[in-house]
Amino acid sequence: MALREAKLAFIGCGTMGEAMVRGLLHENLVDPEQIVVSHPRPERREELGQRWGVEARADNAAAANGASVVVLTVKPQVLDEVFADLAGGLAPDALVMSIVAGARMARIAAALGTPAVVRVMPNTPAQIGRGISVWAATPVVTDTGREQARTILSALGQDEYVTHENELDMATALSGTGPAYVFLFMEALVDAGVHLGFSRRVASRLVLETLRGSVEYAASAPEHLARLRNQVTSPGGTTASAHYQLEKGRLRTVLSDAVWAAYRRCVQLGEAEAPERNGRPLSRTSSEPQE
Ligand SMILES: NC(=O)c1ccc[n+]([C@@H]2O[C@H](COP(=O)([O-])OP(=O)(O)OC[C@H]3O[C@@H](n4cnc5c(N)ncnc54)[C@H](OP(=O)(O)O)[C@@H]3O)[C@@H](O)[C@H]2O)c1
């Protein structure tokens, strides 16, 4: 079934759920009549109904009733509650898409009695259609189901399909958490600019445009990132002096440690009992400090 003929239910339509609905309608990928959302608060249901012309229900089971694609967009803490609402009520051939952090596909399939599950790790730029969503699917998801999933994700920006679910934990640490690393980096640079004597407005603008331009330049250039960095590094120059301090401060190691810490935490939250992932130990070295 093409997405145009599908009925879509968004269970717990908060920030990310609404970003998906917005993208799907803005891109004219589906019509509002195809979408039902659920939300526990009446004012939120009214807001969603008025803003997007979609049907909004209080009851999760009623929203999912008859849906061919059910998208779980709740927080992990309420997932069991949502499972209890939906269990036994979905069509066995329904495609369930979940963006719930840490919820593994086998758990979702078992709880809902629907073997076709797609698990997604989006990130916050999805809210302006510029996200990167990493996704995996259970083997029974058909080519049509995969195409439906990819079309829904196109509403959030780019997507990257992975074959191993473990890569979703890795993506959580890199691209899911990634915007937080970037915002911290930007904030630190703005503060450094203010320290130099720029107004916060000017410092913020210089940092934002430097980031934007550098990202677009890197995306357009086939070279390795180190070559791009070397282009701005003259012998004995200002960049070389700054670079020395960044290396002395262990910027790369700190970043790498942060990503590994996020990965370990993600695995711990998802299935604390797993001692190994893809043949690799959870710790990078036996001497690595644990949190
Ligand atoms: N935001 C991100 O960048 C991001 C990135 C990757 C993954 N995720 C994942 O995406 C999921 C949604 O995140 P979000 O930021 O969109 O969260 P959110 O804005 O809090 O959306 C979840 C919504 O579910 C509603 N809700 C609470 N209990 C419910 C229930 N029993 N049944 C139905 N709905 C219920 C909440 O209502 P109230 O407002 O009343 O609490 C809230 O509006 C999370 O699992 C998160 O891990 C998010």
mmCIF file of all heavy atoms in Angstrom, residues 10-18 38-41 43-44 58 60 72-79 81-82 85 98-102 120-127 172 176-177 179, ligand 1:
data_model
loop_
_atom_site.group_PDB
_atom_site.id
_atom_site.type_symbol
_atom_site.label_atom_id
_atom_site.label_comp_id
_atom_site.label_asym_id
_atom_site.label_seq_id
_atom_site.Cartn_x
_atom_site.Cartn_y
_atom_site.Cartn_z
ATOM 1 N N PHE A 10 -0.394 8.729 15.028
ATOM 2 C CA PHE A 10 0.756 9.196 15.810
ATOM 3 C C PHE A 10 0.364 9.149 17.276
ATOM 4 O O PHE A 10 -0.511 9.908 17.716
ATOM 5 C CB PHE A 10 1.151 10.617 15.389
ATOM 6 C CG PHE A 10 1.780 10.660 14.028
ATOM 7 C CD1 PHE A 10 0.982 10.705 12.890
ATOM 8 C CD2 PHE A 10 3.156 10.614 13.876
ATOM 9 C CE1 PHE A 10 1.553 10.717 11.626
ATOM 10 C CE2 PHE A 10 3.732 10.626 12.620
ATOM 11 C CZ PHE A 10 2.930 10.679 11.489
ATOM 12 N N ILE A 11 0.990 8.243 18.011
ATOM 13 C CA ILE A 11 0.605 8.022 19.404
ATOM 14 C C ILE A 11 1.478 8.875 20.319
ATOM 15 O O ILE A 11 2.687 8.662 20.427
ATOM 16 C CB ILE A 11 0.737 6.513 19.773
ATOM 17 C CG1 ILE A 11 -0.052 5.649 18.777
ATOM 18 C CG2 ILE A 11 0.304 6.264 21.211
ATOM 19 C CD1 ILE A 11 -1.545 5.941 18.702
ATOM 20 N N GLY A 12 0.850 9.880 20.965
ATOM 21 C CA GLY A 12 1.593 10.802 21.828
ATOM 22 C C GLY A 12 2.245 11.880 20.982
ATOM 23 O O GLY A 12 3.465 11.944 20.883
ATOM 24 N N CYS A 13 1.419 12.727 20.384
ATOM 25 C CA CYS A 13 1.931 13.686 19.395
ATOM 26 C C CYS A 13 2.493 14.933 20.097
ATOM 27 O O CYS A 13 1.810 15.939 20.266
ATOM 28 C CB CYS A 13 0.815 14.045 18.407
ATOM 29 S SG CYS A 13 1.451 14.840 16.936
ATOM 30 N N GLY A 14 3.769 14.830 20.494
ATOM 31 C CA GLY A 14 4.467 15.964 21.119
ATOM 32 C C GLY A 14 5.348 16.658 20.104
ATOM 33 O O GLY A 14 4.958 16.812 18.936
ATOM 34 N N THR A 15 6.545 17.052 20.527
ATOM 35 C CA THR A 15 7.442 17.828 19.659
ATOM 36 C C THR A 15 7.815 17.069 18.386
ATOM 37 O O THR A 15 7.650 17.590 17.270
ATOM 38 C CB THR A 15 8.739 18.166 20.444
ATOM 39 O OG1 THR A 15 8.363 18.743 21.692
ATOM 40 C CG2 THR A 15 9.625 19.119 19.689
ATOM 41 N N MET A 16 8.310 15.840 18.543
ATOM 42 C CA MET A 16 8.771 15.094 17.368
ATOM 43 C C MET A 16 7.594 14.594 16.532
ATOM 44 O O MET A 16 7.651 14.602 15.305
ATOM 45 C CB MET A 16 9.652 13.913 17.785
ATOM 46 C CG MET A 16 10.974 14.311 18.384
ATOM 47 S SD MET A 16 11.989 15.328 17.289
ATOM 48 C CE MET A 16 12.793 14.101 16.323
ATOM 49 N N GLY A 17 6.530 14.166 17.209
ATOM 50 C CA GLY A 17 5.342 13.711 16.482
ATOM 51 C C GLY A 17 4.802 14.821 15.599
ATOM 52 O O GLY A 17 4.494 14.609 14.417
ATOM 53 N N GLU A 18 4.730 16.020 16.163
ATOM 54 C CA GLU A 18 4.210 17.142 15.376
ATOM 55 C C GLU A 18 5.167 17.503 14.237
ATOM 56 O O GLU A 18 4.725 17.875 13.142
ATOM 57 C CB GLU A 18 3.952 18.366 16.271
ATOM 58 C CG GLU A 18 3.270 19.476 15.485
ATOM 59 C CD GLU A 18 2.838 20.656 16.329
ATOM 60 O OE1 GLU A 18 3.197 20.714 17.523
ATOM 61 O OE2 GLU A 18 2.116 21.520 15.776
ATOM 62 N N SER A 38 -2.920 11.034 18.796
ATOM 63 C CA SER A 38 -3.482 10.907 20.144
ATOM 64 C C SER A 38 -2.681 11.772 21.102
ATOM 65 O O SER A 38 -1.473 11.967 20.913
ATOM 66 C CB SER A 38 -3.458 9.449 20.614
ATOM 67 O OG SER A 38 -2.155 9.059 20.961
ATOM 68 N N HIS A 39 -3.389 12.310 22.085
ATOM 69 C CA HIS A 39 -2.717 13.094 23.128
ATOM 70 C C HIS A 39 -3.611 13.143 24.354
ATOM 71 O O HIS A 39 -4.826 13.264 24.232
ATOM 72 C CB HIS A 39 -2.387 14.519 22.647
ATOM 73 C CG HIS A 39 -1.285 15.119 23.451
ATOM 74 N ND1 HIS A 39 -1.485 15.679 24.693
ATOM 75 C CD2 HIS A 39 0.057 15.182 23.233
ATOM 76 C CE1 HIS A 39 -0.314 16.070 25.178
ATOM 77 N NE2 HIS A 39 0.627 15.779 24.316
ATOM 78 N N PRO A 40 -2.991 13.035 25.568
ATOM 79 C CA PRO A 40 -3.826 13.007 26.767
ATOM 80 C C PRO A 40 -4.450 14.360 27.128
ATOM 81 O O PRO A 40 -5.478 14.397 27.808
ATOM 82 C CB PRO A 40 -2.857 12.552 27.878
ATOM 83 C CG PRO A 40 -1.486 12.793 27.359
ATOM 84 C CD PRO A 40 -1.571 12.791 25.864
ATOM 85 N N ARG A 41 -3.847 15.472 26.687
ATOM 86 C CA ARG A 41 -4.362 16.790 27.120
ATOM 87 C C ARG A 41 -5.304 17.389 26.072
ATOM 88 O O ARG A 41 -4.941 17.502 24.894
ATOM 89 C CB ARG A 41 -3.197 17.748 27.382
ATOM 90 C CG ARG A 41 -2.481 17.459 28.708
ATOM 91 C CD ARG A 41 -1.439 18.496 29.054
ATOM 92 N NE ARG A 41 -0.232 18.381 28.254
ATOM 93 C CZ ARG A 41 0.159 19.254 27.345
ATOM 94 N NH1 ARG A 41 -0.577 20.322 27.081
ATOM 95 N NH2 ARG A 41 1.276 19.065 26.679
ATOM 96 N N GLU A 43 -6.292 20.482 25.510
ATOM 97 C CA GLU A 43 -5.865 21.725 24.827
ATOM 98 C C GLU A 43 -4.854 21.403 23.713
ATOM 99 O O GLU A 43 -4.835 22.057 22.671
ATOM 100 C CB GLU A 43 -5.325 22.765 25.816
ATOM 101 C CG GLU A 43 -3.988 22.479 26.464
ATOM 102 C CD GLU A 43 -4.076 21.562 27.695
ATOM 103 O OE1 GLU A 43 -5.132 20.946 27.922
ATOM 104 O OE2 GLU A 43 -3.060 21.443 28.412
ATOM 105 N N ARG A 44 -4.039 20.380 23.949
ATOM 106 C CA ARG A 44 -3.075 19.971 22.920
ATOM 107 C C ARG A 44 -3.811 19.325 21.734
ATOM 108 O O ARG A 44 -3.462 19.556 20.577
ATOM 109 C CB ARG A 44 -2.057 18.995 23.543
ATOM 110 C CG ARG A 44 -1.057 18.399 22.586
ATOM 111 C CD ARG A 44 -0.073 19.403 22.027
ATOM 112 N NE ARG A 44 0.935 18.769 21.168
ATOM 113 C CZ ARG A 44 1.621 19.408 20.234
ATOM 114 N NH1 ARG A 44 1.449 20.698 20.031
ATOM 115 N NH2 ARG A 44 2.511 18.772 19.495
ATOM 116 N N ALA A 58 -8.236 11.265 22.442
ATOM 117 C CA ALA A 58 -7.641 11.117 23.777
ATOM 118 C C ALA A 58 -7.172 9.682 23.986
ATOM 119 O O ALA A 58 -6.206 9.416 24.698
ATOM 120 C CB ALA A 58 -8.670 11.489 24.836
ATOM 121 N N ASN A 60 -5.545 6.288 23.037
ATOM 122 C CA ASN A 60 -4.507 5.772 22.121
ATOM 123 C C ASN A 60 -5.050 4.648 21.241
ATOM 124 O O ASN A 60 -4.768 4.596 20.036
ATOM 125 C CB ASN A 60 -3.309 5.266 22.924
ATOM 126 C CG ASN A 60 -2.526 6.402 23.569
ATOM 127 O OD1 ASN A 60 -2.464 7.499 23.026
ATOM 128 N ND2 ASN A 60 -1.937 6.140 24.730
ATOM 129 N N LEU A 72 4.960 5.526 17.103
ATOM 130 C CA LEU A 72 5.053 5.746 18.548
ATOM 131 C C LEU A 72 6.002 6.916 18.796
ATOM 132 O O LEU A 72 7.192 6.826 18.491
ATOM 133 C CB LEU A 72 5.584 4.500 19.253
ATOM 134 C CG LEU A 72 4.833 3.188 18.997
ATOM 135 C CD1 LEU A 72 5.537 2.020 19.694
ATOM 136 C CD2 LEU A 72 3.381 3.300 19.471
ATOM 137 N N THR A 73 5.460 8.010 19.343
ATOM 138 C CA THR A 73 6.294 9.205 19.540
ATOM 139 C C THR A 73 6.254 9.684 20.997
ATOM 140 O O THR A 73 6.444 10.858 21.269
ATOM 141 C CB THR A 73 5.877 10.353 18.586
ATOM 142 O OG1 THR A 73 4.516 10.713 18.858
ATOM 143 C CG2 THR A 73 6.001 9.957 17.141
ATOM 144 N N VAL A 74 6.006 8.741 21.909
ATOM 145 C CA VAL A 74 5.965 9.096 23.342
ATOM 146 C C VAL A 74 7.368 9.008 23.949
ATOM 147 O O VAL A 74 8.283 8.465 23.351
ATOM 148 C CB VAL A 74 5.012 8.167 24.138
ATOM 149 C CG1 VAL A 74 3.568 8.433 23.777
ATOM 150 C CG2 VAL A 74 5.384 6.700 23.939
ATOM 151 N N LYS A 75 7.496 9.502 25.171
ATOM 152 C CA LYS A 75 8.747 9.372 25.922
ATOM 153 C C LYS A 75 8.881 7.923 26.407
ATOM 154 O O LYS A 75 7.864 7.255 26.643
ATOM 155 C CB LYS A 75 8.726 10.303 27.143
ATOM 156 C CG LYS A 75 8.766 11.780 26.791
ATOM 157 C CD LYS A 75 10.173 12.227 26.487
ATOM 158 C CE LYS A 75 10.254 13.754 26.446
ATOM 159 N NZ LYS A 75 11.422 14.216 25.690
ATOM 160 N N PRO A 76 10.114 7.462 26.613
ATOM 161 C CA PRO A 76 10.315 6.070 27.050
ATOM 162 C C PRO A 76 9.554 5.724 28.336
ATOM 163 O O PRO A 76 9.079 4.606 28.495
ATOM 164 C CB PRO A 76 11.828 5.994 27.283
ATOM 165 C CG PRO A 76 12.413 7.090 26.469
ATOM 166 C CD PRO A 76 11.384 8.173 26.385
ATOM 167 N N GLN A 77 9.412 6.700 29.233
ATOM 168 C CA GLN A 77 8.791 6.433 30.541
ATOM 169 C C GLN A 77 7.333 6.007 30.439
ATOM 170 O O GLN A 77 6.822 5.355 31.347
ATOM 171 C CB GLN A 77 8.846 7.693 31.434
ATOM 172 C CG GLN A 77 10.246 8.184 31.773
ATOM 173 C CD GLN A 77 10.768 9.170 30.734
ATOM 174 O OE1 GLN A 77 10.715 8.903 29.534
ATOM 175 N NE2 GLN A 77 11.305 10.295 31.178
ATOM 176 N N VAL A 78 6.643 6.398 29.374
ATOM 177 C CA VAL A 78 5.213 6.052 29.279
ATOM 178 C C VAL A 78 4.966 4.933 28.258
ATOM 179 O O VAL A 78 3.815 4.611 27.959
ATOM 180 C CB VAL A 78 4.323 7.286 28.945
ATOM 181 C CG1 VAL A 78 4.412 8.336 30.034
ATOM 182 C CG2 VAL A 78 4.651 7.883 27.596
ATOM 183 N N LEU A 79 6.042 4.333 27.770
ATOM 184 C CA LEU A 79 5.882 3.341 26.706
ATOM 185 C C LEU A 79 5.077 2.118 27.172
ATOM 186 O O LEU A 79 4.207 1.629 26.444
ATOM 187 C CB LEU A 79 7.258 2.925 26.160
ATOM 188 C CG LEU A 79 7.227 2.086 24.888
ATOM 189 C CD1 LEU A 79 6.520 2.812 23.746
ATOM 190 C CD2 LEU A 79 8.647 1.714 24.451
ATOM 191 N N GLU A 81 2.799 1.987 29.395
ATOM 192 C CA GLU A 81 1.398 2.419 29.476
ATOM 193 C C GLU A 81 0.754 2.388 28.079
ATOM 194 O O GLU A 81 -0.369 1.908 27.895
ATOM 195 C CB GLU A 81 1.417 3.869 29.981
ATOM 196 C CG GLU A 81 0.229 4.347 30.762
ATOM 197 C CD GLU A 81 0.499 5.792 31.196
ATOM 198 O OE1 GLU A 81 1.473 6.041 31.939
ATOM 199 O OE2 GLU A 81 -0.265 6.662 30.758
ATOM 200 N N VAL A 82 1.494 2.865 27.098
ATOM 201 C CA VAL A 82 1.002 2.892 25.716
ATOM 202 C C VAL A 82 0.858 1.462 25.175
ATOM 203 O O VAL A 82 -0.131 1.134 24.509
ATOM 204 C CB VAL A 82 1.937 3.749 24.824
ATOM 205 C CG1 VAL A 82 1.662 3.535 23.352
ATOM 206 C CG2 VAL A 82 1.796 5.219 25.189
ATOM 207 N N ASP A 85 -2.307 0.085 26.393
ATOM 208 C CA ASP A 85 -3.457 0.640 25.656
ATOM 209 C C ASP A 85 -3.635 -0.034 24.290
ATOM 210 O O ASP A 85 -4.756 -0.272 23.844
ATOM 211 C CB ASP A 85 -3.260 2.148 25.392
ATOM 212 C CG ASP A 85 -3.307 2.983 26.661
ATOM 213 O OD1 ASP A 85 -3.812 2.473 27.681
ATOM 214 O OD2 ASP A 85 -2.831 4.134 26.620
ATOM 215 N N SER A 98 8.780 3.366 15.579
ATOM 216 C CA SER A 98 9.023 3.921 16.911
ATOM 217 C C SER A 98 10.226 4.838 16.891
ATOM 218 O O SER A 98 11.275 4.473 16.351
ATOM 219 C CB SER A 98 9.255 2.786 17.906
ATOM 220 O OG SER A 98 9.803 3.305 19.100
ATOM 221 N N ILE A 99 10.053 6.027 17.494
ATOM 222 C CA ILE A 99 11.222 6.910 17.662
ATOM 223 C C ILE A 99 11.610 6.963 19.139
ATOM 224 O O ILE A 99 12.396 7.815 19.546
ATOM 225 C CB ILE A 99 10.948 8.339 17.124
ATOM 226 C CG1 ILE A 99 9.826 9.030 17.918
ATOM 227 C CG2 ILE A 99 10.631 8.334 15.651
ATOM 228 C CD1 ILE A 99 9.816 10.550 17.710
ATOM 229 N N VAL A 100 11.043 6.043 19.928
ATOM 230 C CA VAL A 100 11.272 6.072 21.376
ATOM 231 C C VAL A 100 12.701 5.611 21.672
ATOM 232 O O VAL A 100 13.076 4.469 21.362
ATOM 233 C CB VAL A 100 10.248 5.170 22.099
ATOM 234 C CG1 VAL A 100 10.462 5.235 23.603
ATOM 235 C CG2 VAL A 100 8.829 5.562 21.725
ATOM 236 N N ALA A 101 13.470 6.480 22.293
ATOM 237 C CA ALA A 101 14.882 6.171 22.546
ATOM 238 C C ALA A 101 15.006 4.918 23.406
ATOM 239 O O ALA A 101 14.326 4.771 24.423
ATOM 240 C CB ALA A 101 15.549 7.361 23.239
ATOM 241 N N GLY A 102 15.870 4.010 22.964
ATOM 242 C CA GLY A 102 16.199 2.828 23.771
ATOM 243 C C GLY A 102 15.228 1.664 23.642
ATOM 244 O O GLY A 102 15.530 0.577 24.115
ATOM 245 N N VAL A 120 13.597 4.077 14.843
ATOM 246 C CA VAL A 120 14.257 5.257 14.276
ATOM 247 C C VAL A 120 14.944 6.059 15.376
ATOM 248 O O VAL A 120 14.393 6.210 16.470
ATOM 249 C CB VAL A 120 13.193 6.196 13.624
ATOM 250 C CG1 VAL A 120 13.865 7.366 12.923
ATOM 251 C CG2 VAL A 120 12.284 5.435 12.672
ATOM 252 N N MET A 121 16.123 6.577 15.091
ATOM 253 C CA MET A 121 16.733 7.572 15.967
ATOM 254 C C MET A 121 16.842 8.882 15.189
ATOM 255 O O MET A 121 17.717 9.064 14.345
ATOM 256 C CB MET A 121 18.130 7.093 16.416
ATOM 257 C CG MET A 121 18.928 8.109 17.220
ATOM 258 S SD MET A 121 18.038 9.024 18.511
ATOM 259 C CE MET A 121 17.440 7.738 19.579
ATOM 260 N N PRO A 122 15.902 9.794 15.424
ATOM 261 C CA PRO A 122 15.973 11.097 14.746
ATOM 262 C C PRO A 122 16.847 12.071 15.551
ATOM 263 O O PRO A 122 17.441 11.669 16.548
ATOM 264 C CB PRO A 122 14.509 11.560 14.750
ATOM 265 C CG PRO A 122 13.891 10.894 15.933
ATOM 266 C CD PRO A 122 14.733 9.694 16.303
ATOM 267 N N ASN A 123 16.936 13.310 15.128
ATOM 268 C CA ASN A 123 17.570 14.329 15.975
ATOM 269 C C ASN A 123 16.808 15.658 15.845
ATOM 270 O O ASN A 123 15.933 15.794 14.993
ATOM 271 C CB ASN A 123 19.087 14.457 15.724
ATOM 272 C CG ASN A 123 19.447 14.961 14.350
ATOM 273 O OD1 ASN A 123 18.575 15.315 13.558
ATOM 274 N ND2 ASN A 123 20.725 14.999 14.058
ATOM 275 N N THR A 124 17.127 16.597 16.735
ATOM 276 C CA THR A 124 16.276 17.796 16.848
ATOM 277 C C THR A 124 16.188 18.673 15.594
ATOM 278 O O THR A 124 15.141 19.286 15.397
ATOM 279 C CB THR A 124 16.684 18.708 18.031
ATOM 280 O OG1 THR A 124 18.090 18.812 18.061
ATOM 281 C CG2 THR A 124 16.167 18.182 19.336
ATOM 282 N N PRO A 125 17.208 18.773 14.734
ATOM 283 C CA PRO A 125 16.998 19.590 13.533
ATOM 284 C C PRO A 125 15.827 19.089 12.673
ATOM 285 O O PRO A 125 15.385 19.773 11.747
ATOM 286 C CB PRO A 125 18.346 19.482 12.802
ATOM 287 C CG PRO A 125 19.334 19.241 13.893
ATOM 288 C CD PRO A 125 18.616 18.353 14.863
ATOM 289 N N ALA A 126 15.308 17.901 13.009
ATOM 290 C CA ALA A 126 14.098 17.397 12.343
ATOM 291 C C ALA A 126 12.956 18.398 12.469
ATOM 292 O O ALA A 126 12.063 18.448 11.626
ATOM 293 C CB ALA A 126 13.683 16.073 12.982
ATOM 294 N N GLN A 127 13.007 19.201 13.521
ATOM 295 C CA GLN A 127 11.912 20.151 13.731
ATOM 296 C C GLN A 127 11.845 21.220 12.644
ATOM 297 O O GLN A 127 10.823 21.881 12.482
ATOM 298 C CB GLN A 127 12.032 20.784 15.120
ATOM 299 C CG GLN A 127 11.598 19.799 16.192
ATOM 300 C CD GLN A 127 11.989 20.230 17.582
ATOM 301 O OE1 GLN A 127 11.797 21.368 17.940
ATOM 302 N NE2 GLN A 127 12.548 19.310 18.335
ATOM 303 N N THR A 172 22.552 7.050 18.338
ATOM 304 C CA THR A 172 22.036 7.865 19.451
ATOM 305 C C THR A 172 23.164 8.709 20.024
ATOM 306 O O THR A 172 22.996 9.899 20.311
ATOM 307 C CB THR A 172 21.467 6.942 20.559
ATOM 308 O OG1 THR A 172 20.461 6.128 19.976
ATOM 309 C CG2 THR A 172 20.887 7.740 21.713
ATOM 310 N N GLY A 176 22.051 11.525 17.335
ATOM 311 C CA GLY A 176 20.911 11.841 18.212
ATOM 312 C C GLY A 176 21.307 12.852 19.270
ATOM 313 O O GLY A 176 20.634 13.863 19.491
ATOM 314 N N THR A 177 22.453 12.600 19.914
ATOM 315 C CA THR A 177 22.960 13.512 20.944
ATOM 316 C C THR A 177 23.756 14.642 20.301
ATOM 317 O O THR A 177 24.000 15.671 20.944
ATOM 318 C CB THR A 177 23.869 12.727 21.929
ATOM 319 O OG1 THR A 177 23.232 11.486 22.232
ATOM 320 C CG2 THR A 177 24.095 13.463 23.229
ATOM 321 N N PRO A 179 23.429 17.236 18.257
ATOM 322 C CA PRO A 179 23.121 18.666 18.345
ATOM 323 C C PRO A 179 23.541 19.289 19.683
ATOM 324 O O PRO A 179 23.965 20.445 19.732
ATOM 325 C CB PRO A 179 21.598 18.708 18.161
ATOM 326 C CG PRO A 179 21.314 17.512 17.303
ATOM 327 C CD PRO A 179 22.272 16.449 17.788
HETATM 328 N N1 LIG B 1 13.392 15.458 20.773
HETATM 329 C C1 LIG B 1 14.411 14.871 20.150
HETATM 330 O O1 LIG B 1 15.303 15.483 19.603
HETATM 331 C C2 LIG B 1 14.480 13.392 20.051
HETATM 332 C C3 LIG B 1 15.553 12.830 19.366
HETATM 333 C C4 LIG B 1 15.597 11.453 19.258
HETATM 334 C C5 LIG B 1 14.592 10.672 19.819
HETATM 335 N N2 LIG B 1 13.572 11.264 20.491
HETATM 336 C C6 LIG B 1 12.551 10.408 21.077
HETATM 337 O O2 LIG B 1 11.298 10.824 20.597
HETATM 338 C C7 LIG B 1 10.299 10.579 21.571
HETATM 339 C C8 LIG B 1 9.434 11.802 21.694
HETATM 340 O O3 LIG B 1 10.246 12.915 22.073
HETATM 341 P P1 LIG B 1 9.628 14.384 22.115
HETATM 342 O O4 LIG B 1 10.774 15.290 22.343
HETATM 343 O O5 LIG B 1 8.725 14.590 20.959
HETATM 344 O O6 LIG B 1 8.745 14.251 23.461
HETATM 345 P P2 LIG B 1 7.417 15.050 23.864
HETATM 346 O O7 LIG B 1 7.398 16.391 23.220
HETATM 347 O O8 LIG B 1 7.326 14.988 25.348
HETATM 348 O O9 LIG B 1 6.236 14.188 23.205
HETATM 349 C C9 LIG B 1 5.639 13.088 23.806
HETATM 350 C C10 LIG B 1 4.162 13.420 24.043
HETATM 351 O O10 LIG B 1 3.502 12.274 24.564
HETATM 352 C C11 LIG B 1 2.491 12.725 25.451
HETATM 353 N N3 LIG B 1 2.091 11.671 26.382
HETATM 354 C C12 LIG B 1 2.401 11.496 27.685
HETATM 355 N N4 LIG B 1 1.822 10.393 28.169
HETATM 356 C C13 LIG B 1 1.116 9.848 27.141
HETATM 357 C C14 LIG B 1 0.315 8.675 27.003
HETATM 358 N N5 LIG B 1 0.119 7.830 28.023
HETATM 359 N N6 LIG B 1 -0.250 8.439 25.806
HETATM 360 C C15 LIG B 1 -0.046 9.258 24.741
HETATM 361 N N7 LIG B 1 0.702 10.366 24.824
HETATM 362 C C16 LIG B 1 1.295 10.657 25.995
HETATM 363 C C17 LIG B 1 3.174 13.875 26.171
HETATM 364 O O11 LIG B 1 2.195 14.685 26.789
HETATM 365 P P3 LIG B 1 2.613 15.800 27.879
HETATM 366 O O12 LIG B 1 3.126 16.950 27.077
HETATM 367 O O13 LIG B 1 1.344 16.095 28.594
HETATM 368 O O14 LIG B 1 3.646 15.152 28.743
HETATM 369 C C18 LIG B 1 3.964 14.553 25.059
HETATM 370 O O15 LIG B 1 3.234 15.590 24.444
HETATM 371 C C19 LIG B 1 11.032 10.218 22.865
HETATM 372 O O16 LIG B 1 10.885 8.839 23.108
HETATM 373 C C20 LIG B 1 12.466 10.536 22.592
HETATM 374 O O17 LIG B 1 13.302 9.598 23.194
HETATM 375 C C21 LIG B 1 13.487 12.600 20.601
#
